[in-house]
Amino acid sequence: MELFWHRRDLRIADNVGLATAADRDETGPVAPVFVFDDDVLAHASDVRVRRLLDGLAALRAAYRERGSDLLVARGDPAEILPALAERVDAERVVWNRDYSGLARERDARVRRALAAVDVRREAHHDAVLHEPDSIRTNAGDPYSVYSYYWKKWRDRAVDPPAPTPEGDALASTAALSELTSTETTSTETTSTRSDAVDVAVGELPTPADLGFAEPDVDLDPAGTDAARERLEAFLDDDVFGYAEDRDYPARAATSRLSAHLRYGEIGVRETYAATEEARVAASDRPETDAEESVEEFQAQLAWREFYTQVLYHNPEVVTANYKTYEEGIDWRDDPEEIAAWKRGETGYPIVDAGMRQLLAEGYMHNRVRMIVASFLTKDLLSDWRHGYDHFREHLADHDTANDNGGWQWAASTGTDAQPYFRIFNPTTQGERYDPDAEYITTHVPELRGVDPELIHEWPDLMAVQRANAAPEYPDPIVDHGERREAALAMFKRARGEDPDE
C-alpha cells in the first residue's frame, strides 16, 4: 500500500502524485489522507476553513463514488504520517509539491521523519504548469518582470492532464476501515506510536472542532464537479470576450476559478488544455478578438505562476517589501481610516462596493481588488500589510503568492510593480468600469435608486446634495486630490528625493 497525502490538491483527476502512486501495481492500492496541520490552521481564517471543509467534503464524495474514502487526521504531519504509514504498512508516502516557505519547511521535516522509519517518500510537480525554478532569464536569474516571464512561459511545452485513478488502484472503504481500526490492528505489528494516531475514515470536523466560527458568507460551491461546470460555462462563451469585458465587475465575465485553483479542486493542466481547445474554437467566433481573449485568460494563469516563483525565490516578501527604498516609506496608518476601509464606508462608492462584496461573498472582482488596494495605500497612505492581512482573513481564494504579489504591486513595493506616481483615481475607475453603477448598487444598498452620475460624483458633491440623495451613505473620508499629492511626496521622500520638486 501507498499513502497519498492531499494538501492543496483536493481532487482525484489530473493529480500527478496520486496518478503516479496509483499506477504502481506492485505496491498495492493507494490510501488517500488529509492532515489538519495545526501550524497551517494557525494562519487560517473562518472563511478559508469553511471553504477548505467544503472542498474536502467534495473530495470525500468523489472517493466514495469510487468505492474508496478519505483518511482524516489532525496534528503534525511529521508525526502523523510516519505513524500512519506504520499502521497501514505503507511502503511509500507520496504528495505534490507546495512552494511557500512554510510548506517547504514542513515537507522537509516530513521527509526526515519518514526516512527515520524507513518509509519511502516522493514529491511531484503538480500545482503549476512550470515549476518555479524552471523559467529563468538568459543570465540564469529568476524573473522579476512579468512580461519577459510570460514570453517564455507561453512557449513552453505543457504536460497533458494526469490520468484519473479508478477501481482497484484505490484502497476500498472496507480496507481503510479495517487498517485504521485500533480494535482490529494486531499489537504484534503495531507500535505504541502508531496506536496513538487518531485517524478516521471520512469523518470531517466542523469549523468549531478546529477552533473556528461558521462565517456568514455566501460561498460558491466547492469541488471538482463545480469547478468543471464553471470552467465549461466560461469557455463556452465568456472567454471570447474576456479581453474587453474582464475589467467590468457587473458583467460577470471572469471565470471565478480562483478558489478552485487555490485548493486544487481542478488541475492546472486540465484547465490549460481546455483553454487550448477554446483557442482553436476562437477562429469560428464572431468576436474579432476572440483568440486574443483566450490568450489573455491564459496570461492570468501565467501571472499566478509568476508570483509563485517570486515567492519561491524570495520567501521573505510575505512580510517584507520586495523593493527597498533608500529612506523607507513613512506610512500614515490611521486606524479609523483603515477601519472605515475594511467596513466599506469610505464614501468612495466603487471602493465600498468591493469591500462589502468581500465581506458578503469571500470574493472580490480582480479590477476592484486593484482599486481598493490602491485606495488603501495611495489615498489612505496605509501600509499594504494591513490590506494583505484583511484579504487573508476574508478571501476564500486567498493565495499567499498571488495576494502578496497583488498588494505589493498596488503599493509600488513589489516586483514589476505599479510605478509610485501612477495612482488610481477611484472616481474615474468607477465611472470607467461600472458606468451604470450596477456593481456598486448591488453591494451598496444605500445608493440604490440614486442616479449613476450622482453616485460617481459622490466625493465631489456638496454635503447637502449627498444628504438629499442618500442620507445613510457616508461622506468621503479623504480628499483624493490632496492624498494623491501626499502620496507622491511620501514616495519621493522614501526615494531620497526632494518632495517639492
Side-chain angles (χ1 to χ4, degrees), residues 3-7 33 35 77 81 93-95 106-107 110:
L3 285 175
F4 179 75
W5 178 24
H6 280 283
R7 294 104 65 83
V33 59
V35 179
L81 292 170
V93 178
V94 183
W95 62 86
R106 173 201 60 200
D107 294 356
V110 169

Side-chain angles (χ1 to χ4, degrees), residues 11-24:
R11 65 185 184 279
I12 299 176
D14 189 23
N15 187 318
V16 175
L18 179 61
T20 303
D23 194 45
R24 282 191 283 258

Side-chain angles (χ1 to χ4, degrees), residues 264-483:
E265 295 166 353
I266 190 168
V268 67
R269 288 157 302 279
E270 178 179 340
T271 301
Y272 186 80
T275 66
E276 283 291 275
E277 291 179 4
R279 195 152 69 93
V280 172
S283 60
D284 296 327
R285 297 286 302 191
E287 299 90 343
T288 57
D289 61 349
E291 187 171 352
E292 175 190 339
S293 287
V294 176
E295 189 171 274
E296 184 64 40
F297 178 71
Q298 291 177 331
Q300 302 310 306
L301 299 177
W303 268 111
R304 175 175 175 264
E305 300 195 6
F306 172 71
Y307 282 139
T308 296
Q309 63 95 35
V310 170
L311 180 64
Y312 178 81
H313 292 289
N314 307 275
E316 71 281 356
V317 299
V318 175
T319 56
N321 294 337
Y322 178 90
K323 181 188 296 183
T324 57
Y325 284 85
E326 186 176 331
E327 302 295 334
I329 303 171
D330 186 18
W331 299 109
R332 176 184 171 89
D333 287 346
D334 183 293
E336 292 185 4
E337 292 179 355
I338 295 171
W341 175 84
K342 290 179 178 180
R343 295 192 304 268
E345 296 178 356
T346 68
Y348 283 83
I350 191 70
V351 173
D352 293 340
M355 299 307 295
R356 296 189 195 188
Q357 182 186 28
L358 172 64
L359 296 178
E361 301 178 10
Y363 174 84
M364 190 190 301
H365 185 275
N366 189 60
R367 165 56 62 172
V368 186
R369 295 188 197 201
M370 292 190 286
I371 294 170
V372 304
S374 177
F375 189 84
L376 179 73
T377 57
K378 304 296 176 61
D379 284 74
L380 302 188
L381 310 181
S382 295
D383 194 323
W384 61 267
R385 281 161 278 232
H386 294 296
Y388 173 79
D389 288 344
H390 187 69
F391 271 34
R392 182 177 62 180
E393 180 180 356
H394 292 285
L395 276 177
D397 64 6
H398 166 72
D399 177 276
T400 299
N402 282 351
D403 281 358
N404 181 271
W407 272 101
Q408 295 222 42
W409 178 89
S412 302
T413 62
T415 174
D416 205 15
Q418 174 91 320
Y420 77 91
F421 50 82
R422 291 183 183 169
I423 298 174
F424 281 7
N425 181 324
T427 297
T428 302
Q429 292 286 312
E431 291 173 335
R432 180 178 301 163
Y433 296 113
D434 191 28
D436 297 326
E438 183 179 350
Y439 172 79
I440 290 170
T441 53
T442 296
H443 299 287
V444 184
E446 305 98 299
L447 293 175
R448 291 172 189 167
V450 178
D451 187 283
E453 288 189 12
L454 289 180
I455 291 175
H456 294 309
E457 293 173 2
W458 190 265
D460 299 319
L461 295 177
M462 295 177 63
V464 66
Q465 291 177 290
R466 291 196 292 265
N468 289 333
E472 296 181 358
Y473 184 64
D475 292 337
I477 61 173
V478 296
D479 181 281
H480 170 71
E482 292 177 359
R483 287 299 178 87

